[in-house]
Amino acid sequence: MWRVPGLLCVHVARKSKFSGPWNRPAAFMSTLLINQPQYAWLKELGLREENDGVYNGSWGGRGEVITTYCPANNEPIARVRQVSLEMGKILVEGVGEVQEYVDVCDYAVGLSRMIGGPILPSESKQRRPGHALIEQWNPVGLVGVITAFNFPVAVYGWNNAIAMICGNACLWIIAKVLEDNKLPGAICSLTCGGADIGTAMAKDERVDLLSFTGSTQVGKQVALMVQERFGKSLLELGGNNAIIAFEDADLSLVVPSALFAAVGTAGQRCTTARRLFLHESIHDEVVNRLKKAYAQIRVGNPWDSNVLYGPLHTKQAVSMFLGAVEEAKKEGGTVVYGGKVMDRPGNYVEPTIVTGLDHDASIVHTETFAPILYVFKFKNEEEVFAWNNEVKQGLSSSIFTKDMGRIFRWLGPKGSDCGIVNVNIPTSGAEIGGAFGGEKHTGGGRESGSDAWKQYMRRSTW
């Protein structure tokens, strides 16, 4: 989803061919999920059959009118002007994502009391007695945020909460909270759409900082457009993340961690584990345990609280999944679990395990946003650390070991080259108090905690 301030919408939103009320046959409206009893909660959230997708102090929008579809059954949800209502995330993850936004707001409030610049000794004291150097941090101004479909609330929250306590205007919507505190809702504006809106944000000099979360391919385009106008960008892009389990690893931790990291959000996280390196002495046992664990995954309607695995986002994602499985086979891999589309409505695919590939196979070095886990054998620490680092992305990584010396080598300059370096926990997930982001083709940006706030401000020395 592309989010942009309402002011820009006047210039970039396409005028819909539908003027006034949208005329649709009664039969079409009756098939919308929003009109079905089991989805009555959608109307309780304030949604209607026809929804505006732009907020700049009031709801409106003149962009293209689209029908949004539920990935769990591919049935139409409602009609919206440039906005997507659903990505198919299971209930517990959806609730957790909203809670994360609440938590980062709480964190940001505390952080707002601690932002300050240092006072530095001046070399010119002899010429100017009493002179000192002071660093002053000021807001950049307008922060544009482009977020991906898989974390529409949390990723925006990381940017929004920190940017606002730094004094910036932001581009989404928490209007009720703002207006209750006598602030204009328009300082958190929203619009949703496609590449045309994102391009306008990247090129518009009024957007002082553009934060982009998405694929490396699109991120490169965004970075070039922003740099062309000497703007600031914050990039959080792809991840081809690895878990490494050594011979001394606790397998009762390795198996559930690999399972959660590989199939959580149906493999549609930037921190999803896509590569699993197992010491040759434990490889076969771990693969067998994983296959048994995969067989117990509860698949179904993502709004069912007992379900742990939902659909892929779109039909195109299903095609991409199938293409990656076939390519893995061509390159010498063996599908030991899954690999097929499920025989049920919606965009469901089987969580998949592939063994037998070379660590540097082309498909292994390609980030496929789907639940495919490539498993490898390794012999020693030196080679597997190198394999972890040989992909272009550098987001998240994990090792499982009891060797303290190895842990510190993993954390050091000859260890993982990723932005997130874990020990005995999965690659997925992050704590709001730490800076979230990665290196290399992941973009180098940092969001949420630590000193990530500095990216939303400009520094003056006086």
Side-chain angles (χ1 to χ4, degrees):
M1 295 175 68
W2 302 78
R3 295 190 168 88
V4 61
L7 183 60
L8 296 183
C9 298
V10 175
H11 302 281
V12 303
R14 295 193 296 268
K15 183 167 179 63
S16 171
K17 62 184 178 180
F18 304 103
S19 58
W22 306 331
N23 298 315
R24 282 287 176 262
F28 175 85
M29 290 301 188
S30 66
T31 63
L32 296 174
L33 293 186
I34 198 168
N35 291 323
Q36 297 181 18
Q38 63 268 41
Y39 298 102
W41 54 272
L42 288 171
K43 291 187 176 179
E44 293 175 6
L45 294 175
L47 301 178
R48 307 181 304 276
E49 293 173 350
E50 302 162 347
N51 301 272
D52 293 319
V54 175
Y55 181 86
N56 61 350
S58 61
W59 283 99
R62 295 184 294 128
E64 181 182 359
V65 179
I66 60 173
T67 300
T68 64
Y69 292 84
C70 172
N73 51 30
N74 282 326
E75 293 184 15
I77 301 171
R79 293 188 63 79
V80 190
R81 293 186 184 274
Q82 293 282 17
V83 64
S84 175
L85 295 179
E86 180 54 58
M87 64 81 53
K89 183 172 291 189
I90 63 172
L91 181 63
V92 66
E93 288 185 342
V95 172
E97 186 176 349
V98 173
Q99 182 61 51
E100 186 159 349
Y101 195 173
V102 173
D103 291 344
V104 77
C105 286
D106 186 47
Y107 171 82
V109 169
L111 178 64
S112 69
R113 297 182 174 94
M114 296 184 288
I115 291 176
I119 299 176
L120 306 169
S122 172
E123 63 185 20
S124 62
K125 279 188 175 182
Q126 290 181 344
R127 287 180 284 120
R128 290 186 290 174
H131 181 68
L133 288 177
I134 299 175
E135 284 190 356
Q136 174 70 38
W137 291 90
N138 297 300
V140 295
L142 179 61
V143 177
V145 183
I146 301 173
T147 67
F149 73 90
N150 55 341
F151 282 91
V153 176
V155 171
Y156 179 76
W158 297 344
N159 285 275
N160 165 251
I162 305 302
M164 291 194 75
I165 61 99
C166 290
N168 301 292
C170 249
L171 317 179
W172 211 47
I173 178 159
I174 49 173
K176 182 66 166 61
V177 175
L178 294 171
E179 290 166 358
D180 285 350
N181 287 277
K182 302 188 184 332
L183 293 170
I187 67 173
C188 221
S189 299
L190 159 73
T191 194
C192 306
D196 55 345
I197 295 178
T199 298
M201 293 176 69
K203 292 185 175 181
D204 198 305
E205 293 188 357
R206 292 170 296 178
V207 179
D208 299 289
L209 168 67
L210 184 61
S211 173
F212 174 82
T213 300
S215 70
T216 298
Q217 180 182 5
V218 177
K220 285 182 179 179
Q221 299 174 38
V222 170
L224 288 172
M225 287 186 281
V226 174
Q227 182 58 41
E228 189 174 29
R229 60 177 174 86
F230 291 101
K232 292 180 65 176
S233 62
L234 191 166
L235 303 176
E236 201 283 282
L237 310 177
N240 197 342
N241 314 296
I243 291 176
I244 301 170
F246 285 90
E247 64 273 23
D248 65 339
D250 184 343
L251 300 191
S252 67
L253 291 177
V254 173
V255 173
S257 295
L259 173 74
F260 174 75
V263 307
T265 322
Q268 298 172 111
R269 291 174 177 243
C270 55
T271 54
T272 291
R274 310 202 183 278
R275 299 176 295 150
L276 175 60
F277 297 111
L278 301 171
H279 188 268
E280 57 187 2
S281 65
I282 63 172
H283 175 275
D284 293 350
E285 181 180 358
V286 172
V287 170
N288 287 332
R289 287 198 192 188
L290 271 177
K291 288 162 62 177
K292 292 178 182 177
Y294 270 49
Q296 298 176 46
I297 296 172
R298 295 191 296 274
V299 181
N301 187 325
W303 299 294
D304 183 339
S305 60
N306 293 315
V307 165
L308 298 178
Y309 180 85
L312 293 181
H313 184 47
T314 62
K315 293 179 180 179
Q316 290 78 10
V318 174
S319 297
M320 184 174 61
F321 163 83
L322 290 173
V325 171
E326 288 306 309
E327 183 61 29
K329 292 178 182 177
K330 290 179 184 177
E331 295 186 24
T334 300
V335 177
V336 298
Y337 192 93
K340 301 176 183 177
V341 175
M342 292 185 179
D343 184 17
R344 59 182 299 150
N347 305 321
Y348 289 86
V349 300
E350 296 175 341
T352 300
I353 302 172
V354 179
T355 62
L357 285 165
D358 291 333
H359 64 89
D360 57 354
S362 175
I363 190 62
V364 174
H365 281 219
T366 302
E367 182 191 23
T368 302
F369 227 55
I372 303 174
L373 181 64
Y374 304 112
V375 185
F376 310 89
K377 294 180 182 179
F378 72 89
K379 295 181 182 295
N380 58 60
E381 176 183 306
E382 182 179 2
E383 73 172 4
V384 77
F385 281 9
W387 293 356
N388 175 79
N389 295 343
E390 69 184 1
V391 296
K392 291 183 177 180
Q393 302 89 347
L395 179 53
S396 186
S397 56
S398 298
I399 62 166
F400 286 78
T401 183
K402 299 172 185 174
D403 186 328
M404 291 302 298
R406 177 180 291 137
I407 289 171
F408 282 100
R409 291 190 294 273
W410 171 246
L411 298 173
K414 294 184 178 180
S416 173
D417 65 359
C418 295
I420 301 172
V421 184
N422 296 311
V423 176
N424 294 328
I425 58 173
T427 56
S428 53
E431 294 191 31
I432 60 172
F436 181 90
E439 303 299 329
K440 304 187 296 188
H441 284 214
T442 302
R446 293 297 188 274
E447 298 168 335
S448 192
S450 186
D451 66 349
W453 60 269
K454 292 181 178 179
Q455 297 184 92
Y456 303 90
M457 304 192 82
R458 57 179 178 82
R459 175 165 39 188
S460 301
T461 303
W462 60 285

mmCIF file of all heavy atoms in Angstrom, residues 302-320:
data_model
loop_
_atom_site.group_PDB
_atom_site.id
_atom_site.type_symbol
_atom_site.label_atom_id
_atom_site.label_comp_id
_atom_site.label_asym_id
_atom_site.label_seq_id
_atom_site.Cartn_x
_atom_site.Cartn_y
_atom_site.Cartn_z
ATOM 1 N N PRO A 302 -8.299 -17.331 8.350
ATOM 2 C CA PRO A 302 -7.392 -16.577 9.230
ATOM 3 C C PRO A 302 -8.082 -15.878 10.388
ATOM 4 O O PRO A 302 -7.406 -15.440 11.327
ATOM 5 C CB PRO A 302 -6.745 -15.562 8.273
ATOM 6 C CG PRO A 302 -7.647 -15.481 7.100
ATOM 7 C CD PRO A 302 -8.292 -16.824 6.968
ATOM 8 N N TRP A 303 -9.415 -15.741 10.374
ATOM 9 C CA TRP A 303 -10.129 -15.104 11.485
ATOM 10 C C TRP A 303 -10.509 -16.100 12.568
ATOM 11 O O TRP A 303 -11.050 -15.724 13.584
ATOM 12 C CB TRP A 303 -11.366 -14.377 10.962
ATOM 13 C CG TRP A 303 -10.985 -13.303 9.999
ATOM 14 C CD1 TRP A 303 -10.280 -12.159 10.261
ATOM 15 C CD2 TRP A 303 -11.239 -13.290 8.606
ATOM 16 N NE1 TRP A 303 -10.096 -11.428 9.122
ATOM 17 C CE2 TRP A 303 -10.682 -12.093 8.089
ATOM 18 C CE3 TRP A 303 -11.904 -14.156 7.734
ATOM 19 C CZ2 TRP A 303 -10.753 -11.767 6.732
ATOM 20 C CZ3 TRP A 303 -11.966 -13.826 6.387
ATOM 21 C CH2 TRP A 303 -11.400 -12.637 5.900
ATOM 22 N N ASP A 304 -10.218 -17.381 12.339
ATOM 23 C CA ASP A 304 -10.445 -18.412 13.346
ATOM 24 C C ASP A 304 -9.254 -18.401 14.299
ATOM 25 O O ASP A 304 -8.106 -18.579 13.883
ATOM 26 C CB ASP A 304 -10.576 -19.777 12.658
ATOM 27 C CG ASP A 304 -10.887 -20.904 13.633
ATOM 28 O OD1 ASP A 304 -10.615 -20.752 14.852
ATOM 29 O OD2 ASP A 304 -11.379 -21.948 13.187
ATOM 30 N N SER A 305 -9.515 -18.198 15.565
ATOM 31 C CA SER A 305 -8.427 -18.057 16.538
ATOM 32 C C SER A 305 -7.601 -19.331 16.696
ATOM 33 O O SER A 305 -6.494 -19.283 17.251
ATOM 34 C CB SER A 305 -8.990 -17.634 17.907
ATOM 35 O OG SER A 305 -9.912 -18.598 18.383
ATOM 36 N N ASN A 306 -8.102 -20.472 16.234
ATOM 37 C CA ASN A 306 -7.365 -21.725 16.336
ATOM 38 C C ASN A 306 -6.449 -21.971 15.140
ATOM 39 O O ASN A 306 -5.676 -22.927 15.129
ATOM 40 C CB ASN A 306 -8.337 -22.904 16.468
ATOM 41 C CG ASN A 306 -9.090 -22.877 17.779
ATOM 42 O OD1 ASN A 306 -8.499 -22.643 18.830
ATOM 43 N ND2 ASN A 306 -10.401 -23.089 17.722
ATOM 44 N N VAL A 307 -6.550 -21.144 14.121
ATOM 45 C CA VAL A 307 -5.778 -21.326 12.892
ATOM 46 C C VAL A 307 -4.409 -20.657 13.032
ATOM 47 O O VAL A 307 -4.295 -19.543 13.533
ATOM 48 C CB VAL A 307 -6.549 -20.749 11.678
ATOM 49 C CG1 VAL A 307 -5.644 -20.601 10.470
ATOM 50 C CG2 VAL A 307 -7.732 -21.651 11.348
ATOM 51 N N LEU A 308 -3.362 -21.343 12.568
ATOM 52 C CA LEU A 308 -1.996 -20.829 12.657
ATOM 53 C C LEU A 308 -1.411 -20.463 11.300
ATOM 54 O O LEU A 308 -0.322 -19.876 11.234
ATOM 55 C CB LEU A 308 -1.088 -21.867 13.322
ATOM 56 C CG LEU A 308 -1.442 -22.252 14.761
ATOM 57 C CD1 LEU A 308 -0.495 -23.325 15.263
ATOM 58 C CD2 LEU A 308 -1.401 -21.032 15.666
ATOM 59 N N TYR A 309 -2.113 -20.803 10.217
ATOM 60 C CA TYR A 309 -1.540 -20.617 8.881
ATOM 61 C C TYR A 309 -2.642 -20.218 7.917
ATOM 62 O O TYR A 309 -3.634 -20.930 7.755
ATOM 63 C CB TYR A 309 -0.884 -21.926 8.434
ATOM 64 C CG TYR A 309 -0.235 -21.907 7.076
ATOM 65 C CD1 TYR A 309 1.064 -21.453 6.911
ATOM 66 C CD2 TYR A 309 -0.917 -22.378 5.952
ATOM 67 C CE1 TYR A 309 1.668 -21.462 5.662
ATOM 68 C CE2 TYR A 309 -0.325 -22.386 4.705
ATOM 69 C CZ TYR A 309 0.971 -21.927 4.569
ATOM 70 O OH TYR A 309 1.567 -21.939 3.328
ATOM 71 N N GLY A 310 -2.477 -19.055 7.296
ATOM 72 C CA GLY A 310 -3.472 -18.529 6.382
ATOM 73 C C GLY A 310 -3.007 -18.529 4.940
ATOM 74 O O GLY A 310 -2.020 -19.192 4.579
ATOM 75 N N PRO A 311 -3.666 -17.748 4.094
ATOM 76 C CA PRO A 311 -3.361 -17.752 2.658
ATOM 77 C C PRO A 311 -2.254 -16.789 2.279
ATOM 78 O O PRO A 311 -1.864 -15.920 3.062
ATOM 79 C CB PRO A 311 -4.690 -17.295 2.047
ATOM 80 C CG PRO A 311 -5.226 -16.334 3.079
ATOM 81 C CD PRO A 311 -4.847 -16.918 4.415
ATOM 82 N N LEU A 312 -1.767 -16.940 1.057
ATOM 83 C CA LEU A 312 -0.930 -15.913 0.464
ATOM 84 C C LEU A 312 -1.807 -14.723 0.084
ATOM 85 O O LEU A 312 -3.026 -14.836 -0.019
ATOM 86 C CB LEU A 312 -0.197 -16.453 -0.765
ATOM 87 C CG LEU A 312 0.854 -17.533 -0.498
ATOM 88 C CD1 LEU A 312 1.513 -17.967 -1.810
ATOM 89 C CD2 LEU A 312 1.902 -17.058 0.486
ATOM 90 N N HIS A 313 -1.167 -13.592 -0.173
ATOM 91 C CA HIS A 313 -1.890 -12.347 -0.354
ATOM 92 C C HIS A 313 -2.703 -12.305 -1.648
ATOM 93 O O HIS A 313 -3.827 -11.804 -1.669
ATOM 94 C CB HIS A 313 -0.886 -11.195 -0.325
ATOM 95 C CG HIS A 313 -1.495 -9.840 -0.404
ATOM 96 N ND1 HIS A 313 -2.574 -9.454 0.353
ATOM 97 C CD2 HIS A 313 -1.175 -8.763 -1.171
ATOM 98 C CE1 HIS A 313 -2.889 -8.206 0.071
ATOM 99 N NE2 HIS A 313 -2.067 -7.765 -0.855
ATOM 100 N N THR A 314 -2.142 -12.807 -2.740
ATOM 101 C CA THR A 314 -2.784 -12.698 -4.047
ATOM 102 C C THR A 314 -2.587 -13.974 -4.862
ATOM 103 O O THR A 314 -1.754 -14.826 -4.533
ATOM 104 C CB THR A 314 -2.188 -11.533 -4.859
ATOM 105 O OG1 THR A 314 -0.785 -11.793 -5.090
ATOM 106 C CG2 THR A 314 -2.349 -10.201 -4.123
ATOM 107 N N LYS A 315 -3.316 -14.063 -5.964
ATOM 108 C CA LYS A 315 -3.128 -15.170 -6.899
ATOM 109 C C LYS A 315 -1.741 -15.114 -7.525
ATOM 110 O O LYS A 315 -1.140 -16.146 -7.829
ATOM 111 C CB LYS A 315 -4.200 -15.117 -7.985
ATOM 112 C CG LYS A 315 -5.618 -15.377 -7.477
ATOM 113 C CD LYS A 315 -6.622 -15.294 -8.612
ATOM 114 C CE LYS A 315 -8.048 -15.551 -8.107
ATOM 115 N NZ LYS A 315 -9.047 -15.448 -9.197
ATOM 116 N N GLN A 316 -1.241 -13.900 -7.738
ATOM 117 C CA GLN A 316 0.102 -13.751 -8.293
ATOM 118 C C GLN A 316 1.154 -14.342 -7.360
ATOM 119 O O GLN A 316 2.148 -14.921 -7.808
ATOM 120 C CB GLN A 316 0.402 -12.272 -8.551
ATOM 121 C CG GLN A 316 -0.376 -11.641 -9.692
ATOM 122 C CD GLN A 316 -1.817 -11.292 -9.313
ATOM 123 O OE1 GLN A 316 -2.188 -11.353 -8.122
ATOM 124 N NE2 GLN A 316 -2.619 -10.938 -10.300
ATOM 125 N N ALA A 317 0.929 -14.203 -6.047
ATOM 126 C CA ALA A 317 1.858 -14.779 -5.079
ATOM 127 C C ALA A 317 1.849 -16.303 -5.162
ATOM 128 O O ALA A 317 2.895 -16.951 -5.002
ATOM 129 C CB ALA A 317 1.496 -14.324 -3.670
ATOM 130 N N VAL A 318 0.693 -16.872 -5.433
ATOM 131 C CA VAL A 318 0.605 -18.327 -5.598
ATOM 132 C C VAL A 318 1.413 -18.763 -6.817
ATOM 133 O O VAL A 318 2.156 -19.754 -6.776
ATOM 134 C CB VAL A 318 -0.866 -18.763 -5.738
ATOM 135 C CG1 VAL A 318 -0.956 -20.257 -6.048
ATOM 136 C CG2 VAL A 318 -1.643 -18.441 -4.463
ATOM 137 N N SER A 319 1.287 -18.031 -7.904
ATOM 138 C CA SER A 319 2.050 -18.351 -9.118
ATOM 139 C C SER A 319 3.550 -18.243 -8.865
ATOM 140 O O SER A 319 4.346 -19.072 -9.346
ATOM 141 C CB SER A 319 1.647 -17.412 -10.253
ATOM 142 O OG SER A 319 0.282 -17.575 -10.587
ATOM 143 N N MET A 320 3.957 -17.227 -8.104
ATOM 144 C CA MET A 320 5.364 -17.049 -7.767
ATOM 145 C C MET A 320 5.869 -18.225 -6.931
ATOM 146 O O MET A 320 6.992 -18.716 -7.136
ATOM 147 C CB MET A 320 5.540 -15.737 -7.013
ATOM 148 C CG MET A 320 6.968 -15.383 -6.679
ATOM 149 S SD MET A 320 7.099 -13.728 -5.944
ATOM 150 C CE MET A 320 6.078 -13.949 -4.470
#
